[in-house]
Amino acid sequence: MDYDPITKRPRDLRLPPMLEDYDASRRSFSWDQVERELAWLPGGGLNIAHECIDRHCQEGRGDKQAMIWVGKSGEEERYTFEQMRVETNKFANVLKSLGAKKGDRVFVFLDRLPEIYFVLLGILKAGCVAGPLFSAFGPDPVRDRLQDSGASVLVTAPELRKRIKDVLPECTDLKHTLIVNKDGRSSDPLAAGDISYEAEMAKASPDFAIEPTTRDDYSIMHYTSGTTGKPKGAVHRHNSVLHQYATGQWCLDLHEDDLYWCTADPGWVTGTSYGIIAPWSNGVTQLIYEGGFRATTWYDLIAKYKVTVWYTAPTAIRMMMKVGAEAAKKRDTSSLRFMCSVGEPLNPEGIFWGQEAFDLPFHDNWWQTETGGILVANYAGSEIKPGSMGRPIPGVEIGIIDDDCKPAPTGEEGDLAVRTGWPGMFQTYWNNEEMYQSKFKEGWYITGDRARMDEDGYVWFIGRSDDVINTAGHLVGPFEVESALLEHPAVAEAGVIGKPDPIAMEVVKAFVALVDGYEPTEKLRNELMRFARGKLAAGVAPREIDFIPSLPKTRSGKIMRRLLKARELGLDEGDTSTLEDD
Ligand code: ATP
Ligand code: MG
């Protein structure tokens, strides 16, 4: 690849076809272009696993590395696309031998092992619907999801199987439980009736004719993060690969010789859409790390494997900030050329910190479990406006609309909405078609987020509709207040809610976790109040600040403001199945 020596940017940036005249080219974009770049199945069908794996083997890239896997203790395994093809074929055969049929739900409750990728892609080859479950879940969320989806096969591991043993009998649709005993880690892996993954794979044929799925067949179902309420099972179809493939280039700037690392777990949608489908449909080599967050380990991985493109999340960035930029500067992270972030608002402080620690800014982008892929992004080649999520991708109309579905004037707040029919669009909430239908109005999908769009087409996140605060007639987004607080050196994390007030309707209340070494004193509280008043408009700065050791977050790292509020008001906490342990 040809790089600019100063900016470290490749000279042929994979930009969305739009930057010259953003508006004109965005509107005239046609997805046919992307359709032509995909391989498609013989006979015209579309299958994600074929696009991710088999096409590369057919087109002579079978020897290229697809996955470099690093285990918790630093052990390493490498797989080429050809090896992935064989493993995924074998698993598809295992499923067929167990009687799994097209459309059956097969759920996967596994750590980030190489096997999780063989299994998930094997499920898609067999035409079944894959349901990834985050491996830190306790028994209740696993039971709820297995029952709701009617999953007939579960793939898990000995320790995880033990964790959920009491609820498995309640999952009455489940016919088979397959156990992955990685490297024989467990000496007693199988309970009565369980099937050994290794034994079945050893018997399975390496040849498999991919089920002739169409673009409309269901592929993956993901439960949402549960930040605002009970998680919903968003169902996707094979067509979503168009979206993930194209945005892998436009928004992650993926190139053939990249070494890409997505820190999200396949239990969440980022970990499948951008931890499996986008990189592999583009034939890019991925680093996969089994372990969790530890800043110094992460920097060592970047240095050792020469990661070039890195996709992570604001919570991780804030945790790295807590550790300080020095730790990053001590390593050679110069291989990095593009860093991006999703999942929560990225505070401008995070962008500047990236610049300090890695010589590169983080590029924020926005999407949801329901959207299947990135819809708004800060692109490699365009200016970042810190605090903005960037601009809409081509071929998709993003609206900021009022209650009557009319476009809000430029710069004004409204509901963030998407014109229906984009390629990654979810098809239903499993078992909840009514809730699905309720999200659509006059040809728009209403995302539940509030935002505004500036004159250059950049979208600015205000907050989730549920979190927006109404104080004395002003609507205040928590993000603005949290970002202001984060600029203070003592603040590691901030979560802001509206607290009911007899006069102002609501007042702004902030919960703050401090950077190590700072004491939660009255003096600091007053200083933070003053600091926020200096940054924010009157009435927007917090009226109250409480210090807490850490903020309640989902297991995917999102601040659960609804829980801060319920606790503040002594109300029922609602569904906490995705709440992270302290
Ligand atoms: P639930 O729908 O169950 O309450 P959730 O909305 O957190 O959970 P996800 O689909 O994982 O579940 O998250 C999507 C949401 O995350 C978006 O609707 C938005 O509120 C937030 N989000 C994602 N990316 C960004 C971003 N770049 N900036 C601001 N918010 C973001
Ligand atoms: Mg949501």
Side-chain angles (χ1 to χ4, degrees):
M1 200 193 308
D2 186 20
Y3 289 99
D4 180 310
I6 297 169
T7 61
K8 287 200 290 181
R9 317 279 322 123
R11 289 191 200 275
D12 62 328
L13 286 177
R14 288 284 187 86
L15 298 178
M18 65 183 203
L19 289 175
E20 294 281 292
D21 179 349
Y22 174 76
D23 248 5
S25 51
R26 189 163 66 90
R27 283 176 210 284
S28 64
F29 178 81
S30 156
W31 285 95
D32 298 356
Q33 290 170 230
V34 179
E35 288 186 3
R36 281 196 295 275
E37 288 180 30
L38 295 185
W40 301 85
L41 290 172
L46 188 62
N47 187 287
I48 291 173
H50 179 253
E51 298 298 329
C52 286
I53 304 295
D54 292 38
R55 77 168 293 181
H56 303 302
C57 303
Q58 283 164 10
E59 295 169 9
R61 294 184 293 275
D63 291 339
K64 182 173 178 183
Q65 301 224 323
M67 156 158 66
I68 304 176
W69 175 81
V70 179
K72 278 185 193 145
S73 341
E75 64 272 41
E76 188 190 292
E77 292 177 16
R78 291 179 184 241
Y79 297 88
T80 62
F81 281 101
E82 174 58 21
Q83 287 169 318
M84 296 282 299
R85 189 185 70 83
V86 169
E87 295 303 312
T88 51
N89 276 356
K90 286 201 283 190
F91 190 70
N93 278 318
V94 170
L95 280 180
K96 291 287 176 193
S97 73
L98 295 174
K101 293 195 188 54
K102 188 169 171 183
D104 285 356
R105 274 79 59 214
V106 178
F107 270 53
V108 187
F109 184 44
L110 274 182
D111 285 321
R112 241 169 342 220
L113 301 171
E115 287 73 9
I116 196 171
Y117 300 91
F118 309 153
V119 167
L120 287 171
L121 290 164
I123 294 170
L124 299 178
K125 284 189 167 181
C128 299
V129 181
L133 296 170
F134 188 40
S135 61
F137 277 156
D140 292 350
V142 174
R143 179 200 46 217
D144 293 352
R145 286 158 180 73
L146 291 177
Q147 286 180 340
D148 182 54
S149 63
S152 56
V153 180
L154 174 68
V155 186
T156 183
E159 284 309 309
L160 298 176
R161 162 83 169 77
K162 276 192 199 117
R163 196 192 297 160
I164 57 169
K165 68 177 187 327
D166 293 340
V167 300
L168 280 182
E170 296 169 41
C171 304
T172 44
D173 293 311
L174 208 57
K175 294 195 196 108
H176 305 290
T177 304
L178 279 152
I179 305 288
V180 177
N181 188 16
K182 177 82 182 158
D183 301 331
R185 285 179 188 181
S186 165
S187 54
D188 177 25
L190 300 182
D194 287 353
I195 302 168
S196 158
Y197 166 88
E198 287 79 14
E200 293 302 307
M201 289 290 275
K203 286 189 289 192
S205 158
D207 301 318
F208 184 79
I210 295 180
E211 184 76 29
T213 44
T214 68
R215 59 200 300 166
D216 293 320
D217 283 324
Y218 288 170
S219 54
I220 301 183
M221 59 186 290
H222 265 293
Y223 286 84
T224 57
S225 296
T227 317
T228 54
K230 193 173 166 52
K232 307 159 282 264
V235 184
H236 292 279
R237 53 186 182 145
H238 283 273
N239 197 60
S240 69
V241 65
L242 262 89
H243 190 156
Q244 292 133 358
Y245 166 82
T247 48
Q249 300 180 8
W250 302 336
C251 309
L252 307 182
D253 194 35
L254 291 176
H255 284 67
E256 209 175 325
D257 56 358
D258 271 319
L259 197 291
Y260 168 72
W261 183 26
C262 169
T263 60
D265 189 272
W268 307 108
V269 72
T270 307
T272 53
S273 289
Y274 294 95
I276 296 180
I277 309 174
W280 282 335
S281 63
N282 279 289
V284 167
T285 309
Q286 292 208 72
L287 172 69
I288 285 156
Y289 175 52
E290 184 190 3
F293 175 80
R294 194 157 162 260
T296 48
T297 311
W298 279 23
Y299 305 150
D300 288 339
L301 287 168
I302 292 170
K304 178 168 178 190
Y305 292 98
K306 303 206 176 348
V307 173
T308 57
V309 179
W310 189 25
Y311 196 14
T312 187
T315 309
I317 297 170
R318 285 193 295 265
M319 289 196 285
M320 290 189 270
M321 289 166 73
K322 219 170 159 178
V323 176
E326 274 317 302
K329 285 194 202 158
K330 275 195 199 130
R331 274 88 176 169
D332 178 7
T333 57
S334 59
S335 57
L336 284 171
R337 64 170 178 78
F338 192 64
M339 315 197 297
C340 30
S341 162
V342 73
E344 273 202 303
L346 176 62
N347 315 93
E349 272 305 285
I351 299 176
F352 304 138
W353 184 83
Q355 193 76 54
E356 186 192 339
F358 305 104
D359 267 344
L360 294 171
F362 284 101
H363 292 72
D364 190 21
N365 54 58
W366 174 92
W367 57 295
Q368 306 182 305
T369 308
E370 289 88 340
T371 70
I374 299 171
L375 289 178
V376 175
N378 284 285
Y379 305 100
S382 39
E383 180 203 353
I384 296 181
K385 294 197 186 187
S388 155
M389 310 190 291
R391 292 188 284 180
I393 65 165
V396 174
E397 188 185 352
I398 296 286
I400 307 289
I401 59 173
D402 64 18
D403 292 346
D404 299 323
C405 291
K406 298 284 169 297
T410 302
E412 284 192 20
E413 173 181 341
D415 284 319
L416 177 58
V418 190
R419 186 65 76 190
T420 55
W422 73 96
M425 178 174 148
F426 71 133
Q427 297 300 291
T428 188
Y429 288 127
W430 194 265
N431 275 343
N432 206 341
E433 181 65 18
E434 204 180 318
M435 158 99 78
Y436 177 73
Q437 293 299 344
S438 75
K439 302 279 175 181
F440 297 91
K441 244 170 50 186
E442 298 190 18
W444 292 102
Y445 162 64
I446 314 290
T447 66
D449 288 340
R450 304 274 298 170
R452 59 191 173 81
M453 194 184 276
D454 68 17
E455 60 286 359
D456 300 323
Y458 281 74
V459 183
W460 299 75
F461 182 78
I462 303 216
R464 295 165 183 270
S465 310
D466 292 1
D467 292 339
V468 170
I469 302 160
N470 188 343
T471 180
H474 298 291
L475 294 179
V476 178
F479 174 48
E480 178 188 5
V481 184
E482 290 161 7
S483 289
L485 285 167
L486 274 184
E487 286 182 42
H488 191 281
V491 178
E493 290 182 313
V496 166
I497 63 161
K499 181 177 170 182
D501 180 84
I503 298 163
M505 187 140 150
E506 287 184 308
V507 291
V508 177
K509 169 152 193 175
F511 295 84
V512 163
L514 295 175
V515 170
D516 294 344
Y518 285 89
E519 290 300 319
T521 60
E522 208 41 49
K523 186 160 166 266
L524 181 57
R525 191 196 314 270
N526 291 332
E527 187 184 317
L528 289 178
M529 299 270 223
R530 251 196 327 273
F531 181 81
R533 276 200 300 271
K535 304 242 160 228
L536 297 163
V540 176
R543 189 86 70 82
E544 290 178 30
I545 296 182
D546 275 6
F547 293 117
I548 51 176
S550 66
L551 296 174
K553 288 191 232 44
T554 63
R555 290 191 181 278
S556 52
K558 294 163 190 268
I559 298 172
M560 289 171 100
R561 295 177 191 80
R562 70 175 162 101
L563 229 61
L564 287 171
K565 192 158 181 171
R567 288 174 184 172
E568 172 72 24
L569 305 181
L571 302 173
D572 177 31
E573 295 195 353
D575 185 292
T576 53
S577 63
T578 59
L579 178 65
E580 179 188 64
D581 300 328
D582 282 336

